[in-house]
């Protein structure tokens, strides 16, 4: 190893790409991808890049906050250290609370450098678990017919057959109707799971799950507020499908807090849901999803195929990339 | 990356080295290091090695069982796969229950190959968290004067000042007397923690901890049987020092089982205890400890400095290698 991998600079570069179609969900809506490119340069001139897509309604970051934390705290924490020493750099980043997307982008840019230095894909350095993964498309709020149309188009154009359906509206039956329309339109040919972005109450969540009990949903994500601790536990105790935590459990410590004392159901932070494209999924092309990086903290927990299937699923379909 | 890292062969080679001094502890004693060298060869001729030291009284493996499981199951699981694809290989190894030392040795031999292929120390590939770690010496059963003498010799010859004291004898006051003698002999100049290898009952464990309350112990490991679930919880609820799990929690799943429902004290599986030499620590030299590999599953959890200190310690001493 003769290359000097010392980090010489870390830059945060803002950019904006308008969505072809805005995405609406329970906690907000997005019409422009105002993201940040994190670019790391080493002493010997290798350049690693990664994208940090702020998700104010999920992780609290904005384009400006990501640029500020990278410029003022994370760049000084990395400059002068080898790109290989990411655990040492992580330890410094962890002193700063939150900012998961900014941290993840810097981490990915460091990996990008290491992969180039060793001339191997990073997936090899991560242990080469598999070369295929399911890809899901996220369906934002609309009426049932429009959401079915969008799903049909994604199936036809990109071969995607797993859909994350945004729910959490009031009244909840709007969303139940969408899920039912999707299942009726596509039968067993699609996989469906729902994401409430904490929009429902615990009691409405329970009602909705009961009314969708025959729709063979894979998972239910962040249906009700995590701060309603007892409401969530009550819901977990009666749910017949696994509950997924995202913004309420972004670190191992938060996962522990969420789980300890909870009913011993398959709840919170399921590790094997399909990799989810970001809310910018509808903006450009299927390939663009692979580069949207704010979901790194999630995809590390979720992307590995072949996934074990929770009991209750009808057919353990073969995991595989659906997008061309 | 032009080198072909495909695993061509995996060999399990037995060897035996008599100890200079046998080690006795609550669950058994060892006088000969009957270990296994696991040797992995790639298509292009790289050779990775690692040592599997069976610990029948801790993990249930023997020299013969390690050779058998490597030859019959683990070698076929690895041959034909790239040494980089260790996560794919791990997934195959995990189908076999237990056998942690055999699995760890194969894993380390694969890492050895990857480090050679990229011409970097494996510590760099693991993220380069630090370049120093505390080293402890393990004091087996003897009378207090002999154990103090051994500790004094280890301090003088190797600069080691952290000691893991084997306890778990009946009556427990034999061990309390040893810990007291060590503290009286060395004062604040040494760090002490105890390992019971499940030799005491929960009630004797509680008595012993009370009688040693003034001895500033860092941790207490496996004092009583894990199968006495309620006894352990009762002990954890009253212990004023962190409890460490080893053989009762060898996988993340076992850690979860051990913790869920337990009192929310800093118990079971503390991640930052000093790296511990193996029971063969007294056989050869301090350097030999670094190559004893059965503790890989433990050292991954324990070896990273600088360690955060549990509350109640007097002085946060600087973590650093004590052995030359």
């Amino acid at each position: 190893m003769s290359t000097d991998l010392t980090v010489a600079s870390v830059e945060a570069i803002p950019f904006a790409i308008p969505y072809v179609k805005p995405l609406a969900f329970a906690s907000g809506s997005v019409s422009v991808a105002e993201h940040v490119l994190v670019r790391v340069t080493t002493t010997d001139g290798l350049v690693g890049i990664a994208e940090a897509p702020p998700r104010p309604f999920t992780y609290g970051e904005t384009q400006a906050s990501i640029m500020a934390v990278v410029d003022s705290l994370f760049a000084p924490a990395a400059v002068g250290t080898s790109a290989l020493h990411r655990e040492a750099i992580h330890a410094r980043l962890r002193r700063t609370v939150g900012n998961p997307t900014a941290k993840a982008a810097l981490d990915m840019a460091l990996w990008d450098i290491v992969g180039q230095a060793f001339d191997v894909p990073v997936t090899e350095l991560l242990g080469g678990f598999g070369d295929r993964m399911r890809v899901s498309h996220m369906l934002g709020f609309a009426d049932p017919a429009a959401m079915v149309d969008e799903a049909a188009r994604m199936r036809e154009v990109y071969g995607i057959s797993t859909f994350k359906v945004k729910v959490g509206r009031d009244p909840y039956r709007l969303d139940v109707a969408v899920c039912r329309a999707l299942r009726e339109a596509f039968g067993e040919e699609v996989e469906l799971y729902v994401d409430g972005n904490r929009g429902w109450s615990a009691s409405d969540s329970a009602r909705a799950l009961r009314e969708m009990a025959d729709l063979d949903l894979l998972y239910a994500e962040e249906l009700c507020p995590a701060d309603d601790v007892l409401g969530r536990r009550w819901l977990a105790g009666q749910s017949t499908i696994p509950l997924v935590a995202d913004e309420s459990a972004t670190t191992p410590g938060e996962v522990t807090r969420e789980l300890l004392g909870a009913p011993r159901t398959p709840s919170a932070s399921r590790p094997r849901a399909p990799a989810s494209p970001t809310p910018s999924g509808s903006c450009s092309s299927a390939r663009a999803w692979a580069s949207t990086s704010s979901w790194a903290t999630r995809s590390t927990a979720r992307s590995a195929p072949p996934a074990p299937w929770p009991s209750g699923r009808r057919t353990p379909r073969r995991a595989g990339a659906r997008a061309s």
Side-chain angles (χ1 to χ4, degrees), chain A residues 30 45 68 111 130 170 232 234 236 240 250 270-271 283-284 300 302 323:
Chain A
V30 182
W111 274 110
D170 182 18
R232 276 213 170 184
W234 173 82
T240 58
T250 62
R270 295 287 300 184
C283 76
S284 47
T300 51
R302 289 194 188 174

Side-chain angles (χ1 to χ4, degrees), chain A residues 198-257:
Chain A
R198 298 155 288 121
W200 285 334
S201 64
S203 58
D204 274 359
S205 302
R207 282 190 195 96
L209 287 181
R210 277 199 300 277
E211 293 182 25
M212 297 189 292
D214 61 327
L215 298 182
D216 193 28
L217 300 179
L218 285 179
Y219 315 100
E221 178 173 335
E222 296 283 357
L223 296 185
C224 59
D227 290 346
D228 178 11
V229 176
L230 295 181
R232 276 213 170 184
R233 288 188 187 171
W234 173 82
L235 184 67
Q238 66 188 272
S239 177
T240 58
I241 61 174
L243 303 186
V244 174
D246 177 6
E247 59 265 36
S248 66
T250 62
T251 66
E254 287 179 346
V255 171
T256 303
R257 287 188 205 169

